[in-house]
Amino acid sequence: MILLLAFLVAAADPAAAYADLGRGRAGEDEARGRIATVVQALEQAQMPRSATVLLAALASDPDQPEAVRASAKSALAARAA
């Protein structure tokens, strides 16, 4: 319940959602959820191009955990299709 509330609050603020991306070592499912939250927040803020740019940056950022990079690559590929 607390995790759901955190995602809802983060979805309202793209900066807060982005800050949660690199926090800790996320598993694959958690990383996918974090990526989806950031993209959704940017979409709701009428910033779809920024979401695409962010996905590309995350996918190529060696400082991000592998799960975050893989999830960003997958989401970027889905947007391109």
Side-chain angles (χ1 to χ4, degrees), residues 4-70:
L4 177 61
L5 180 60
F7 280 134
L8 291 174
V9 170
D13 181 14
Y18 177 77
D20 283 342
L21 279 176
R23 192 170 294 162
R25 294 290 170 207
E28 192 172 317
D29 289 336
E30 186 177 351
R32 192 175 308 118
R34 289 178 181 182
I35 294 289
T37 300
V38 171
V39 169
Q40 180 182 12
L42 288 169
E43 294 281 346
Q44 289 175 349
Q46 304 296 315
M47 301 172 66
R49 291 184 184 148
S50 294
T52 303
V53 170
L54 176 64
L55 288 172
L58 289 172
S60 63
D61 184 359
D63 291 335
Q64 293 295 326
E66 178 59 34
V68 171
R69 286 197 314 266

